[in-house]
């Protein structure tokens, strides 16, 4: 699996806060015949905890009117990006982890054994 900087929401983001908002990824409006995969994982030193990850989209980069595409609770996470993309994507995460880091992004494959 290859993480591209342009398609990364979180890159080793500290899980010290309970609510996190990711970087915004501009993918352009519309759909693809072969959907991208959303992957997310926490480092092994994070211990135990939960993540609730919301994938949001917006037609504008300021996310004044975001639309939730999906909500996930799996860790690690590997899911196809659902239809409904408006051009910009971001993640909002609620976490009960108190240590470790989170990495999440869009990839072409979903081998998340990392």
């Amino acid at each position: 699996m290859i993480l591209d900087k342009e398609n990364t929401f979180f890159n080793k983001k500290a899980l010290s806060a309970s609510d996190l908002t990711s970087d915004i990824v501009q993918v352009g409006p519309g759909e693809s015949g072969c959907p991208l995969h959303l992957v997310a994982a926490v480092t092994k030193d994070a211990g135990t905890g939960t993540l609730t990850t919301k994938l949001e989209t917006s037609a504008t980069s300021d996310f004044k009117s975001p639309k939730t595409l999906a909500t996930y609770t799996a860790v690690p996470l590997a899911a196809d990006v659902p239809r409904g993309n408006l051009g910009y994507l971001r993640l909002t995460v609620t976490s009960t982890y108190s240590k470790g880091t989170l990495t999440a992004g869009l990839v072409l494959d979903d081998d998340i054994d990392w």
Side-chain angles (χ1 to χ4, degrees), residues 14-63:
L15 288 168
S16 56
S18 61
D19 295 315
L20 304 169
T21 300
S22 74
D23 292 338
I24 295 168
V25 174
Q26 181 180 6
V27 292
E31 311 301 339
S32 167
C34 183
L36 290 170
H37 301 282
L38 170 62
V39 295
V42 298
T43 52
K44 293 183 189 329
D45 67 338
T48 59
T50 61
L51 283 180
T52 301
T53 305
K54 286 182 12 181
L55 175 62
E56 298 178 331
T57 188
S58 177
T60 58
S61 62
D62 60 9
F63 274 78

Side-chain angles (χ1 to χ4, degrees), residues 62-82:
D62 60 9
F63 274 78
K64 284 190 177 183
S65 300
K67 173 185 167 190
T68 300
L69 290 178
T71 301
Y72 308 98
T73 57
V75 180
L77 169 64
D80 288 344
V81 173

